[in-house]
């Protein structure tokens, strides 16, 4: 627990005090956010607000992870099994960083061209496909000394579902789909001050709890597994808890400056990075299908876009005034702060239901 707390504290401090530095730097570089002319008219006042702020909490998380490992050296011998950086950390932080790089390229092109046209949709999807595919191969084909891989060959809910074994190739495809879906889901949610940041904090916090719970009931802990039949067959759960806690805390520090009225935006660098990390956490904790509930707000907002597109292409009519869903409520007269807070409540309910299902499975097995 000490390592998790240290990582979270370091990430929060770096992000809280690093973000205003980034604001000054990006402002000096004239890296202001271009605003779409087709968006709500109220957004035009945000034009010029520095973007690419996601770089701050990505760096804060990576540094905090290293700090957490320093804290591990003070733990009792039984708890030091994960003292060295692991393949799980490589996959999770790699997804965070390189999905962020794809988003950073998109942000950079928007700033350079002084309009909202960054990477093309195909270019962005191709970048996500390459990143997801590369780390999927690492996650499935590089086992630890006990034979455990970061990802499994079965689709999981609260743990692997044995009859949903799809093999290595199928698992690579599932891995890529999850990463692309979640990264685009967070990206679509980003659009109002603090909305995606706050929702991500809740989801990342839940994965920190899940990772730590799995660590306390881990099949890799021989002392625990010897006396308990029920344990979690995952790889490096303490790493998962540390990274999720660090990312959540880094987002809290960033939210101080990102809440309405935002002084900096996370940009696609932050949104795609967060989505990639959340997708990776779902796979690493063997909660792939449960992530649909935990990240329910992202799913709802993504589905609003899908419904809008399908409806318009098939009937010529729009279901919502504008998609993603948050803009529908803007045009309906809700204030930005009301939308953000109410959507955070929805995100919190989804997280609570997901954690409840996770814990009820444990109680059922132990009973």
């Amino acid at each position: 627990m000490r390592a998790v707390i240290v990582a979270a504290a370091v990430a929060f401090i770096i992000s809280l005090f690093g973000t205003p530095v980034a604001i000054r730097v990006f402002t000096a570089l004239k890296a202001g956010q271009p605003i779409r002319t087709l968006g709500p008219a109220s957004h035009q006042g945000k034009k010029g607000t520095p973007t690419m702020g996601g770089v701050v909490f990505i760096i804060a998380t990576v540094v905090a992870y290293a700090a957490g490992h320093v804290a591990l050296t003070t733990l009792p011998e039984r708890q030091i099994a994960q003292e060295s950086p692991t393949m799980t950390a490589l996959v999770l932080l790699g997804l965070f960083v390189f999905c962020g790089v794809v988003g950073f390229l998109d942000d950079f092109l928007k700033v350079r061209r002084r309009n909202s046209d960054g990477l093309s949709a195909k270019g962005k999807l191709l970048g996500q496909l390459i990143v997801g595919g590369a780390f999927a191969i690492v996650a499935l084909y590089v086992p630890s000394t006990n034979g455990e891989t970061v990802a499994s060959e079965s689709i999981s809910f609260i743990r692997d579902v044995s009859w949903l074994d799809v093999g290595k190739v199928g698992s690579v495809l599932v891995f890529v789909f999850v990463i692309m879906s979640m990264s685009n889901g967070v990206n679509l949610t980003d659009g109002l001050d603090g909305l995606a940041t706050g929702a991500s904090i809740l989801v990342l916090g839940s994965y920190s709890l899940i990772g730590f719970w799995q660590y306390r009931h881990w099949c890799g802990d021989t002392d625990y597994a010897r006396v308990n039949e029920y344990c979690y067959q995952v790889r490096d759960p303490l790493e998962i808890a540390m990274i999720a806690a660090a990312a959540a805390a880094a987002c809290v520090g960033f939210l101080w400056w990102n809440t309405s009225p935002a002084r900096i935006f996370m940009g696609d660098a932050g949104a795609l990075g967060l989505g990639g990390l959340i997708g990776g956490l779902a796979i690493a904790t063997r909660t792939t299908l449960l992530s649909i509930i935990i990240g329910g707000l992202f799913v709802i907002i993504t589905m609003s876009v899908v419904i809008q597109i399908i409806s318009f292409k098939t009937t010529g009519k729009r279901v919502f005034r504008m998609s993603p869903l948050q803009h529908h409520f803007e045009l309906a007269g809700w204030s930005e702060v009301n939308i953000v807070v109410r959507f955070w409540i929805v995100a919190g309910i989804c997280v609570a239901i997901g954690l409840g299902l996770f814990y009820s499975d444990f109680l059922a097995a132990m009973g």
Side-chain angles (χ1 to χ4, degrees), residues 1-13 60-76 79-80 82-83 92 201 204-216 236-250 252 281:
M1 188 66 176
R2 184 184 309 170
V4 176
I5 293 173
V6 168
V10 171
F12 172 74
I13 292 170
T61 301
V62 174
V63 174
Y65 168 76
H69 270 278
V70 173
L72 276 177
T73 61
T74 65
L75 294 178
Q79 295 178 294
I80 275 184
Q82 297 171 301
E83 181 180 345
L92 294 179
I201 290 168
L204 290 167
S206 72
Y207 272 112
S208 181
L209 292 174
I210 288 172
F212 190 75
W213 187 261
Q214 290 179 333
Y215 173 65
R216 299 301 298 174
D236 312 316
L238 186 58
E239 297 279 89
I240 294 169
M242 220 177 358
I243 291 170
V252 172
L281 289 168

Side-chain angles (χ1 to χ4, degrees), residues 20-301:
V21 175
I23 292 172
R24 290 193 293 270
V25 170
F26 290 138
T27 299
L29 294 174
K30 298 182 179 180
Q33 174 71 49
I35 304 297
R36 290 189 311 161
T37 56
L38 296 178
S42 60
H43 287 202
Q44 295 305 313
K46 301 180 181 184
K47 186 175 182 179
T49 303
T51 187
M52 297 186 279
V55 171
V56 178
F57 56 69
I58 291 175
I59 293 174
T61 301
V62 174
V63 174
Y65 168 76
H69 270 278
V70 173
L72 276 177
T73 61
T74 65
L75 294 178
E77 184 177 355
R78 185 183 70 83
Q79 295 178 294
I80 275 184
Q82 297 171 301
E83 181 180 345
S84 300
T86 63
M87 193 58 64
T88 301
L90 173 65
V91 170
L92 294 179
L93 293 177
L95 287 168
F96 200 15
V97 171
F98 286 100
C99 283
V101 168
V102 175
F104 182 86
L105 290 174
D106 186 46
D107 291 330
F108 177 78
L109 291 175
K110 290 176 182 176
V111 170
R112 185 175 182 180
R113 296 169 180 171
R114 305 296 178 189
N115 60 46
S116 59
D117 297 326
L119 284 174
S120 66
K122 290 182 179 179
K124 195 182 297 186
L125 291 174
L126 178 61
Q128 294 170 317
L129 177 64
I130 292 171
V131 172
F135 284 102
I137 292 171
V138 173
L140 282 153
Y141 287 88
V142 182
S144 64
T145 53
N146 65 0
E148 194 70 48
T149 53
V150 178
S152 72
E153 296 182 31
S154 296
I155 297 175
S156 57
F157 179 52
I158 296 174
R159 57 184 58 250
D160 286 339
V161 181
S162 58
W163 54 271
L164 288 179
D165 189 322
V166 293
K168 285 192 181 298
V169 175
S171 292
V172 168
L173 297 177
V174 171
F175 189 107
V176 172
F177 176 77
V178 171
I179 299 305
M180 294 180 70
S181 298
M182 196 61 77
S183 58
N184 284 302
V186 176
N187 196 28
L188 290 171
T189 303
D190 185 34
L192 300 183
D193 296 352
L195 176 56
T197 309
S200 295
I201 290 168
L202 294 169
V203 174
L204 290 167
S206 72
Y207 272 112
S208 181
L209 292 174
I210 288 172
F212 190 75
W213 187 261
Q214 290 179 333
Y215 173 65
R216 299 301 298 174
H217 306 86
W218 184 30
C219 296
D221 184 341
T222 54
D223 290 342
Y224 176 84
R226 185 166 53 248
V227 296
N228 293 275
E229 293 183 4
Y230 189 89
C231 59
Y232 292 97
Q233 193 71 38
V234 297
R235 177 173 173 173
D236 312 316
L238 186 58
E239 297 279 89
I240 294 169
M242 220 177 358
I243 291 170
C251 286
V252 172
F254 180 77
L255 184 60
W256 182 272
W257 307 98
N258 181 235
T259 193
S260 182
R263 291 187 56 191
I264 189 170
F265 300 139
M266 70 167 66
D268 281 15
L272 294 186
L274 284 172
L277 174 60
I278 292 170
L281 289 168
I283 292 168
T285 55
R286 309 295 198 263
T287 57
T288 303
L289 296 179
L290 186 64
S291 69
I292 296 173
I293 299 173
I294 293 176
L297 178 66
F298 304 138
V299 175
I300 292 169
I301 288 177

